[in-house]
Amino acid sequence: MNAAPSATSPLSTGEKVCWILSIAGFLAAILPFLAPDTFSSWGGGQYAMVMIGLLLGITSFISSFLFRGRRQVRQALLDDERLLARWRVEDAEWREFTEDDFLVERQMKRVLFRVVAGIALLIGLVFLALDFEGGGPRVMGVMLFLVLACWVAMTLGTRLQKNARQRHAGEVHVSEDGLMLGGELHVWNGFGARLESCDFVEGRLPCIEVVYSTPAKNQRQVNSVRAPVPAAHRPAAEAVVARLNTLLGARPE
């Protein structure tokens, strides 16, 4: 059994970047006051630097705790004593799962892309019809660029996710706070994240499907992850589903 992770484990890359940006931001915010003569020729531009520095410093400082929470969940998922379950998927089944999941994810993102592209093109066409001699063509150009950018992000994102999963062994680690699928971490506890549902999905290769949400600008962003379940580990997977659903039932509305 794995030993418990050390409380002094090193910072994650995300935490290091956040702390560097936070320090840089706060330095930018105080330098105009520490050395006013140096910035006297900026014509007031130093105060814009102060505002940008404060924004960068505060945002990065807060974000560092988000990355810290993710690191702690990852550590817990590598500690057998704190897991609900852990299993390994054979290489052939893992390749089959990553191919099937890639096709499902691509189809879902294509549907979303069609909606976004349709709205963007409709807006562009309206502006083109109303102001063909003025700004209409420029708006249409921006909308076409947006559609292209979304298509590139969708295509590369799903392909990179598939390749990243295939580079890792097919291991599944599940705790009450998150799940690690290969090297891919999903966290549904902390910083407003919330578990929404957990189900056992039958199929050629059965899976557990976990749906969770995270705070977004005006609404919650819904995320889902499927983890394959080999036949020998089905009882453990069903126990995981039962436990997570128990936690869902005990959660205050």
Side-chain angles (χ1 to χ4, degrees):
M1 186 170 290
N2 297 344
S6 169
T8 59
S9 58
L11 299 178
S12 67
T13 301
E15 287 177 276
K16 292 176 183 176
V17 171
C18 284
W19 280 112
I20 291 171
L21 292 176
S22 183
I23 293 170
F26 287 128
L27 281 175
I30 64 174
L31 277 176
F33 301 102
L34 294 178
D37 293 339
T38 303
F39 297 91
S40 60
S41 62
W42 283 38
Q46 65 269 35
Y47 299 113
M49 186 176 80
V50 170
M51 296 303 298
I52 294 172
L54 283 174
L55 179 62
L56 178 63
I58 293 171
T59 302
S60 299
F61 178 74
I62 294 173
S63 297
S64 70
F65 291 97
L66 173 61
F67 284 104
R68 179 175 180 267
R70 290 179 63 84
R71 171 170 59 85
Q72 291 175 333
V73 173
R74 181 182 288 274
Q75 290 170 351
L77 288 166
L78 295 175
D79 177 10
D80 287 349
E81 294 182 355
R82 301 162 69 183
L83 289 177
L84 294 178
R86 170 186 178 182
W87 62 82
R88 181 182 175 89
V89 184
E90 295 299 326
D91 291 344
E93 288 184 324
W94 181 245
R95 284 194 299 271
E96 179 183 351
F97 165 76
T98 54
E99 289 289 347
D100 288 348
D101 202 58
F102 167 72
L103 295 176
V104 171
E105 187 73 16
R106 185 176 65 178
Q107 183 60 35
M108 292 174 59
K109 288 185 176 178
R110 279 180 174 175
V111 172
L112 181 60
F113 170 74
R114 292 190 187 106
V115 173
V116 173
I119 294 173
L121 293 176
L122 178 61
I123 293 173
L125 288 172
V126 169
F127 274 87
L128 198 61
L130 295 176
D131 193 12
F132 184 78
E133 300 296 333
R138 288 192 291 272
V139 173
M140 186 63 178
V142 171
M143 293 299 103
L144 288 173
F145 176 78
L146 175 63
V147 170
L148 177 62
C150 288
W151 180 82
V152 171
M154 176 196 72
T155 303
L156 287 180
T158 50
R159 178 65 63 178
L160 289 173
Q161 182 186 58
K162 173 190 171 184
N163 292 343
R165 284 181 175 179
Q166 290 184 337
R167 284 196 299 269
H168 288 85
E171 287 200 0
V172 179
H173 302 239
V174 193
S175 73
E176 293 184 355
D177 299 323
L179 177 149
M180 190 155 62
L181 178 65
E184 189 178 290
L185 180 64
H186 296 266
V187 179
W188 50 76
N189 189 17
F191 275 84
R194 184 175 69 199
L195 182 65
E196 300 291 348
S197 67
C198 181
D199 297 294
F200 194 96
V201 180
E202 300 288 357
R204 184 171 53 183
L205 183 58
C207 299
I208 61 170
E209 183 176 46
V210 179
V211 179
Y212 62 98
S213 64
T214 52
K217 184 177 180 180
N218 297 317
Q219 59 185 0
R220 299 189 66 83
Q221 177 181 333
V222 178
N223 310 276
S224 66
V225 57
R226 297 190 310 149
V229 179
H233 297 280
R234 184 180 181 115
E238 290 176 339
V240 165
V241 172
R243 176 57 182 164
L244 292 181
N245 280 312
T246 298
L247 294 176
L248 273 171
R251 186 180 69 194
E253 295 296 333

